[in-house]
Each structure stands twice: as C-alpha cells, then as structure tokens.
Amino acid sequence: MNPLQRKQLIEMTDKQLWKKIIEPSEARYSSPVVLIPKKGGKIIVGTEGQQPGDSLDPTKFNSTSNLLMGFTVYDLLVNRGPDLKPIPWLAESWEASADSKTWTFKLRSDVTWHDGKKFTADDVIYSCGRHTAEKSESPAKGYMSQIAGIRKDGDHTVIFTLNAGNADFPIVMSDTRVHITQAGYEDFASGTAPGTGPFKVKEFKPGQRYIFERNDDYWGDGGPYVDEIEVLG
C-alpha cells in the first residue's frame, strides 16, 4: 500500500470502509466455479468403535456406528430436512385425522429391495411391529408403543391408529432406529440383510469389517456417487 492509499483508507468513515469490505467486486464473481458431481471412489469412515455384537437389525441399534450403517443400507418412512422438519422419504405423503389419532401414509411405488423384491405396505407393518413386540428390547420401543394398530389399504397405503392424538407422529417415524426392513426377514446375523437404501451390504463381519457398495437401482435422485463405503472402528 503506497502513502496515498494509506491516507485514503484512514480518511474513510466506518460506513464507507464496511461497504468497501463487503461490496461484491466484478472480478470476484466474473468467473463462477461450477462443481459437477462425479461417480466413483471409496469413502473410509472412522467411528467410535465396533463391537462383536454389532448388527444390521435396527431394533438393536445403540451406537453411532450402528446408526451410520442403518442410513447406509436402509431408508426411513419419513426423513428430516435441513430445518429438522419431517420430509417425505419412503412415504410420499401423510395425513392425520382431526384428532391426530389416525395417520394415513401413502408409500412410494417405485422402490425395490436390494434383492429385487418390491417395497410394499407389508414391509412397513412388519418393521414397526418388530419394535413393539413383547420380547423386543428395541431402544425405540417406548415411543413406538403409542401405536395401537397398523393396517394397510392396498400395497402402498399404511394406516396407523394411535393410543392418543399426536400431531408430531411423522417425527416419531423419522427416528434413527425406525428404518424399514423387509417383511419376514430376521437373519440379520448373516450380514446379507437387504435394504432399500443407497448402499448394499458387500461384507459385514461384526467387530471387524463393514463394507457397503453402491446400489445402482436406488430410487433417490442423483446418487449415490461413491462406489463403496468402508466403516472402521
């Protein structure tokens, strides 16, 4: 900075100086950078620890590592947006009765499981029932027990009846443990659990090694982009 520039800077008022700092310059924005996502590569994720008892069973999710794997393999009925408000996911829409005791969820009809089977209302009913079963030890059992009954109306509509009205019931269905698993599936220890999520199980050895590969048939827009995710503890 030469003496003349220094003198001009000193003589500026606070308002003039602030305007100088924040005012966009033509040079700064004349050549915007456009980033285009590319597919490929591998992500390695470190977590707080892995245990021999780790499972792909959402009713047994307790650690951050479990929850991470849940979002990798499965999907929720309802997800959360950047503002933490509920947004459609496997459910396209939902509607409550006047007293908020009955909730009707319309499901996506274009979703398939990793093994090729179609996603239907039966999967939702079975998944929710696993959390509330008499012998269930699911961390979600307490708040899922507000569900008095579930029934379907065709393959892509599920109707929940609650013990009492709850205007925030969609938020309950966005909990990190309420992932939807395939109806009738219980062999989570085998490490081959099918999901509807963005990645499929490639290798799952509890306490040792977890690798997930891209689901090329994922229903979501645009992704996933990486070929593989490996979770380390």
Side-chain angles (χ1 to χ4, degrees):
M1 182 182 294
N2 60 44
L4 178 59
Q5 290 173 320
R6 186 180 299 108
K7 181 176 183 296
Q8 291 173 334
L9 184 62
I10 293 172
E11 290 175 349
M12 280 183 180
T13 65
D14 288 343
K15 185 176 182 180
Q16 289 172 323
L17 182 59
W18 181 243
K19 184 179 180 182
K20 184 83 172 172
I21 292 171
I22 67 171
E23 189 176 58
S25 68
E26 183 178 345
R28 190 183 310 169
Y29 295 102
S30 60
S31 301
V33 176
V34 178
L35 300 178
I36 302 175
K38 294 182 179 180
K39 289 190 175 183
K42 177 178 180 178
I43 293 178
I44 299 177
V45 182
T47 63
E48 84 282 9
Q50 297 176 352
Q51 303 294 328
D54 282 350
S55 172
L56 288 170
D57 181 352
T59 69
K60 293 180 170 58
F61 284 177
N62 288 291
S63 68
T64 302
S65 179
N66 292 156
L67 300 178
L68 172 64
M69 290 186 285
F71 281 103
T72 302
V73 177
Y74 304 116
D75 283 310
L76 298 165
L77 202 61
V78 179
N79 213 329
R80 300 279 192 99
D83 57 1
L84 299 182
K85 293 181 180 179
I87 59 174
W89 213 246
L90 286 179
E92 290 185 317
S93 63
W94 51 85
E95 185 178 3
S97 59
D99 60 3
S100 295
K101 287 184 66 175
T102 303
W103 286 83
T104 302
F105 287 78
K106 300 291 185 180
L107 309 180
R108 298 184 65 97
S109 60
D110 59 347
V111 179
T112 57
W113 294 92
H114 296 159
D115 61 6
K117 293 181 180 179
K118 280 285 189 180
F119 162 70
T120 69
D122 291 327
D123 301 311
V124 176
I125 294 171
Y126 190 83
S127 300
C128 293
R130 296 185 74 250
H131 289 283
T132 58
E134 183 179 351
K135 294 183 179 180
S136 171
E137 296 180 357
S138 169
K141 186 174 184 176
Y143 49 83
M144 289 294 283
S145 293
Q146 68 183 281
I147 300 172
I150 316 175
R151 60 185 176 88
K152 68 177 184 178
D153 182 8
D155 285 341
H156 298 103
T157 301
V158 180
I159 301 170
F160 292 84
T161 302
L162 310 183
N163 293 315
N166 183 356
D168 292 324
F169 183 65
I171 292 179
V172 172
M173 299 308 295
S174 73
D175 181 81
T176 53
R177 297 172 180 86
V178 190
H179 291 282
I180 304 303
T181 57
Q182 196 175 84
Y185 190 87
E186 293 291 339
D187 190 20
F188 296 98
S190 68
T192 58
T196 61
F199 292 88
K200 300 183 289 186
V201 181
K202 180 177 181 180
E203 186 175 345
F204 188 82
K205 295 181 178 179
Q208 300 179 47
R209 186 177 176 89
Y210 312 123
I211 300 178
F212 307 94
E213 60 185 354
R214 182 173 63 223
N215 174 17
D216 290 322
D217 296 320
Y218 187 54
W219 59 269
D221 293 335
Y225 289 97
V226 298
D227 293 329
E228 198 171 85
I229 295 178
E230 181 173 359
V231 180
L232 302 176

